[in-house]
Structures are given as structure tokens and as C-alpha cells.
Amino acid sequence: MRKIAIHDANILIDLVNIGLFSHCLTLKFQFCTTQLIFDTELNDRQTAAIQIHIDSGKFEVIKISEQGLLEIQTANLEDKRLSEQDWSVICYAQKLDALLLSGDKILRKVAESKALEVRGILWVLDQLVDLDIISKAEGCNFLKELIRQNRRLPPDECQTRIDIWCGK
């Protein structure tokens, strides 16, 4: 069975916005997000781009029961800096022993304090290049577009990849 990887909204948004979402699904993970993320954090264009992969069975949206919602709301009392959406991915990453994909600094720290494995968008790009799903040149172009759209990325880590992938 493939390891589960749960997407936080920021990873989904970045992957869809730079046209890399479908490439990501070729990695050897069972990819998903929670209903709270899918229903409240994405715009219509993003949900439409993801819905195609839900319909094909390559991506899953975790339905949240009333009991699950209650657990998320209770967890939310632990740290109000995080939203219920954030807590939904943490709670389900714990339940499913899943990898959590997020670039949110506070969410990452809370998740890591709960012994969850957390990776970000740059790790996803590394995986795609390292496994030859995309070439280094493509990785360079995707990263440059990502930097253009997402100003919160760590500049030093991005530059290291640009130096390697872009042949500079």
C-alpha cells in the first residue's frame, strides 16, 4: 500500500497555479486533502482542476463526519493561530499516519511537535526532478514560475535549486 500524503491548501494552490498538480500525482503516494480544505480554501478554477483527478480516482477528498468535525474543533482550542482547515489536515495526518504537505510555518511547527512528517512544495519539486518525472530544465521553469507567484518561499533554498537545475 502506498503512503498517504495529505495536501494543505497552500500546496494545492501552488501546484495548480503553476500547472504541476497532475505531475505530482505520479509520485508513489496516495494523495488527498480534507473536505474542509477543498470546500473552503480553493477557488473555482482550482477545484475544477483538481475535480478531474478526483473523478479519475487519482486524488481523494476526505469526508469529515460530525465526530471528525468535533475532534477538529476540539484540537482548534489547542492553538488558535491555526484554522479549522489547518487542524483538519493535522488530525487526519495523525489518524492515517500520513505525510503532511504544507508550506505554512505555524502549521508545520505544530505538526512537527506532534511527530508528523511535514514536507513543502520544494520537496515536491525535488521528488519530481529526482525521479525524472520532470527534467531539471522543467524543474527550473516550474520553480521560477512558483517564485513569481509565491513570495513566501525561502530564497536561499530556491536559489540553490535554480543554480543546479538551470545550469548556472
Side-chain angles (χ1 to χ4, degrees), residues 43-95:
N43 66 34
D44 290 344
R45 185 184 62 77
Q46 293 156 347
T47 57
I50 294 168
Q51 188 64 52
I52 295 164
H53 300 288
I54 294 168
D55 294 343
S56 74
K58 293 181 181 176
F59 190 80
E60 181 183 350
V61 176
I62 299 167
K63 307 281 188 249
I64 300 174
S65 66
E66 285 184 33
Q67 177 61 35
L69 188 55
L70 185 58
E71 290 171 17
I72 291 164
Q73 291 167 339
T74 301
N76 193 32
L77 299 173
E78 183 181 323
D79 191 327
K80 288 289 193 180
R81 297 175 299 168
L82 298 177
S83 67
E84 286 185 358
Q85 290 84 348
D86 295 332
W87 279 109
S88 75
V89 293
I90 291 173
C91 288
Y92 280 90
Q94 287 179 301
K95 283 182 183 186

Side-chain angles (χ1 to χ4, degrees), residues 1-8 11-12 15 20-34 50 53-54 56-62 96 98-102 119-120 123-125 127-128 131 133:
M1 184 168 166
R2 295 183 301 172
K3 182 159 178 82
I4 297 169
I6 297 180
H7 286 79
D8 184 21
I11 298 288
L12 287 171
L15 289 170
L20 202 54
F21 183 74
S22 61
H23 294 81
C24 173
L25 297 177
T26 63
L27 294 171
K28 296 192 184 287
F29 290 91
Q30 179 182 337
F31 289 106
C32 59
T33 195
T34 65
I50 294 168
H53 300 288
I54 294 168
S56 74
K58 293 181 181 176
F59 190 80
E60 181 183 350
V61 176
I62 299 167
L96 301 171
L99 170 66
L100 178 54
L101 298 173
S102 179
R119 302 288 180 192
W123 178 85
V124 173
L125 279 169
Q127 296 299 301
L128 293 171
L131 296 170
I133 294 167

Side-chain angles (χ1 to χ4, degrees), residues 69-157:
L69 188 55
L70 185 58
E71 290 171 17
I72 291 164
Q73 291 167 339
T74 301
N76 193 32
L77 299 173
E78 183 181 323
D79 191 327
K80 288 289 193 180
R81 297 175 299 168
L82 298 177
S83 67
E84 286 185 358
Q85 290 84 348
D86 295 332
W87 279 109
S88 75
V89 293
I90 291 173
C91 288
Y92 280 90
Q94 287 179 301
K95 283 182 183 186
L96 301 171
D97 189 29
L99 170 66
L100 178 54
L101 298 173
S102 179
D104 182 290
K105 190 181 241 181
I106 296 169
L107 186 150
R108 290 175 67 101
K109 287 185 186 223
V110 171
E112 287 168 352
S113 77
K114 296 182 175 302
L116 290 171
E117 181 181 3
V118 185
R119 302 288 180 192
I121 189 75
L122 295 179
W123 178 85
V124 173
L125 279 169
D126 289 343
Q127 296 299 301
L128 293 171
V129 170
D130 292 348
L131 296 170
D132 293 321
I133 294 167
I134 61 173
S135 68
K136 287 182 180 180
E138 289 171 314
C140 175
N141 292 333
F142 280 120
L143 180 54
K144 285 180 176 179
E145 181 58 24
L146 182 61
I147 292 167
R148 192 182 70 70
Q149 294 186 29
N150 182 345
R151 304 274 182 214
R152 296 182 189 168
L153 296 170
D156 292 346
E157 289 186 44

